[in-house]
């Protein structure tokens, strides 16, 4: 009994000693591996720092280059570059890239059309914004296939703007820019005429006739004192303009359209957008 | 008022739902204010019909005036019966300066020349649509007002929408339309539906279409629904892509309500496991019809939920792209793929 007990205690003590020794080794090992880890992290951070430093340097050079490009507007100038030629061409290309991106963004801000590539370069989607009197109106989109042939795919342009006719007239296959410019003209003019019609309706003048293309407008005026009715027909036959091509007055009083006052009104309506012309005519006391 | 007029009025009042009756009669403005006041619009249809019949007898309303009432009701409530779309072809140079009064006169005179007894009413609606109601009669009898044809046209566009017209009278109507709108021909646009505004929106590109854009609109960011943050969708990106492609093919938001898409196949049967059918000579004729209360919504849902494959098959996306819902598919030789052919119904004039 005693021997087993003493053996038990001794052996237990031996066990504990072994454990303690191994633990000491372990911590040493743990410490070593931890040190290795930290060293590796340190190296990685140093590499990153070098990379970021290089990026900052490149950006600084780019900015300098952009400044000189914007000022002189000549991308071939390289008086500021004193690096080796590879680096300088790369930086110059990058500077030109950012310059073009800014130009495209400026074009978008002033209401020009945007283009993006779709279907891996086989087509483009054009976004045309319309605006009238500094207010943005609707945006229209066109998807055009470029390969194998230039063809208009789908779009949300209303059908009374004759896209196919315009495409033929401007020869879209060879000059897509010309086609897009014409379409933009037509759409902006249409949006302008539509906006004028909306504003006229608000000004409590009776609109007798209009149509979806906003190419014809018939208004009914009343002369204040005599209460005679005057029918005014505005024809917008040039679909690229917001102003009428012909103004006609009809009235029961046959003398009225030939009077100098109304001849002046006729010229006014030919040269000023209709909603503003109405205000002027009202102020002058010609119409109620 | 004779029997046929009374009959017409009776049928019309029965057709107009009670809640719309008062406003429609007000718009008609053939009854005095006192007369309208004397009618209690909450009573049963039968009593209402009798009362209104009596009032109209008193006022001696003519057939023409009752036809006007029917037209007013139809303009407010056009989704009764089927509408068929037609496209005018080859406009003359002065087609784009066509005025309403000119069109009215020309149409009436042309149709009267072709058919002596017709009753025509033309009205311009607030959205610049020209509505025409035609009651047809043959040479001997008076126009039949119980089965009128309605035509809707937007001047300066090339689309005309027509309700039912018999095949005997269709060429006459087409001729009158072509001549009065200064075009050279008319063809079937292969688009039909019960909802007039839907087929109009589809043809005139007035529904919400989706295009890829470099500067996505700000409204897109508001769309993030605040759902339970602990629930995460696997394959959320794939679902979003599918939804985007489905919207690009069919449109966004509420889609125009079409009721069916019909594909008529005239192709050769091709199935290697079925020798008897494949060996048969001649084309295999088959008609596939998709029907739904709103077929475009259904197709879009099929595409975005993965039931239909993405990118959307051209046969399905053609419904919105070409704005038609009747297709005839024939084989192109050689090759296994089918081509879409248009079934044309050309009617050209001689001038």
């Amino acid at each position: 009994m005693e021997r087993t007990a003493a053996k038990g205690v001794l052996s237990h003590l031996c066990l504990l000693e072994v454990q303690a020794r191994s633990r000491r080794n372990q911590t040493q090992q743990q410490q070593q591996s931890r040190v290795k880890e930290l060293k590796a992290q340190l190296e990685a951070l140093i590499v990153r720092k070098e990379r970021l430093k290089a990026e900052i340097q490149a950006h600084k050079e780019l900015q300098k280059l952009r400044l000189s490009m914007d000022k002189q507007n000549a991308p071939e100038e390289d008086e500021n570059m004193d690096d080796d030629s590879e680096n300088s061409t790369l930086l110059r290309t990058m500077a030109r890239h950012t310059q073009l991106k800014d130009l495209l963004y400026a074009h978008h801000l002033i209401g020009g059309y945007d283009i993006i590539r779709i279907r891996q370069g086989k087509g483009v989607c054009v976004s045309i914004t319309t605006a009238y009197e500094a207010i943005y109106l609707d945006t229209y989109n066109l998807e055009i296939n470029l390969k194998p042939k230039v063809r208009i795919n789908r779009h949300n342009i209303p059908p009374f703007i004759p896209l196919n006719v315009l495409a033929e007239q401007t020869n879209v296959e060879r000059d897509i820019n010309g086609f897009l410019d014409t379409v933009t003209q037509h759409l902006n003019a249409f949006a302008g005429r539509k906006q004028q019609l909306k504003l006229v309706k608000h000004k409590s003048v009776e609109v007798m006739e209009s149509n979806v293309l906003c190419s014809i407008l018939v208004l009914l005026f009343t002369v204040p004192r005599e209460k005679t009715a005057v029918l005014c027909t505005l024809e917008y036959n040039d679909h690229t303009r917001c102003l009428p091509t012909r103004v006609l007055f009809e009235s029961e009083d046959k003398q009225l359209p030939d009077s100098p006052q109304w001849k002046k009104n006729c010229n006014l309506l030919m040269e000023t957008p209709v909603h503003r012309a109405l205000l002027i005519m009202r102020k002058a006391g010609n119409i109620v | 008022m004779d029997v046929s007029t009374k009959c017409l009025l009776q049928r019309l009042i029965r057709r107009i739902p009670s809640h719309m009756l008062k406003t429609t009669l007000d718009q008609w403005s053939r009854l005095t204010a006192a007369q309208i006041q004397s009618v209690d619009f909450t009573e049963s249809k039968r009593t209402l019909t009798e009362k209104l019949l009596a009032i109209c007898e008193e006022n001696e309303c003519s057939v023409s005036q009752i036809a006007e009432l029917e037209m007013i009701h139809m303009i407010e409530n056009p989704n009764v019966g089927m509408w068929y779309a037609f496209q005018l072809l080859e406009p003359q140079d002065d087609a784009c300066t066509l005025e309403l009064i000119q069109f009215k006169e020309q149409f009436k005179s042309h149709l009267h020349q072709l058919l002596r007894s017709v009753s025509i009413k033309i009205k311009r609606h607030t959205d610049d649509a020209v509505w025409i109601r035609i009651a047809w009669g043959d040479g001997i009898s008076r126009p039949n007002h119980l089965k009128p044809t309605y035509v809707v046209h937007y001047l300066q566009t090339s689309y005309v929408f027509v309700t039912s017209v018999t095949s005997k009278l269709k060429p006459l109507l087409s001729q009158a339309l072509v001549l009065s709108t200064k075009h050279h021909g008319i063809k079937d646009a292969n688009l039909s539906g019960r909802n007039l505004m839907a087929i109009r929106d589809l043809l005139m590109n007035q529904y919400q279409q989706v295009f890829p854009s470099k500067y996505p609109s700000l409204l897109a960011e508001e769309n993030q629904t605040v759902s339970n943050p602990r629930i995460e969708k696997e394959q959320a990106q794939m679902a979003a892509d599918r939804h985007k492609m489905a919207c690009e093919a069919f449109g966004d938001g509420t889609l125009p309500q079409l009721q069916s898409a019909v594909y008529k196949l005239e192709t050769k049967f091709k199935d290697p496991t079925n020798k008897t059918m494949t060996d048969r000579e001649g084309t295999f004729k088959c008609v596939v019809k998709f029907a739904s209360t709103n077929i475009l919504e259904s197709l879009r849902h099929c595409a975005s939920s993965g039931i239909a494959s993405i990118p959307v098959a051209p046969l399905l996306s053609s419904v919105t792209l070409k704005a038609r819902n009747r297709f005839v598919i024939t084989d192109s030789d050689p090759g296994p793929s089918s081509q879409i052919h248009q079934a044309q119904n050309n009617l050209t004039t001689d001038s």
Side-chain angles (χ1 to χ4, degrees), chain A residues 223-236:
Chain A
V223 180
R225 259 166 283 119
E226 298 93 35
K227 303 281 184 216
T228 31
V230 183
L231 209 64
C232 170
T233 308
L234 297 156
E235 281 180 22
Y236 300 81

Side-chain angles (χ1 to χ4, degrees), chain A residues 118-119 122-126 142-147 149-154 172 176 179-180:
Chain A
I118 53 170
R119 279 196 278 278
K122 282 196 248 167
V124 286
C125 180
V126 187
L142 263 175
E143 268 187 22
I144 307 180
N145 279 337
L146 297 172
K147 303 191 183 59
K149 214 169 60 121
V150 176
R151 200 174 61 95
I152 302 170
N153 204 12
R154 65 182 183 114
V172 68
I176 206 173
F179 166 67
L180 289 174

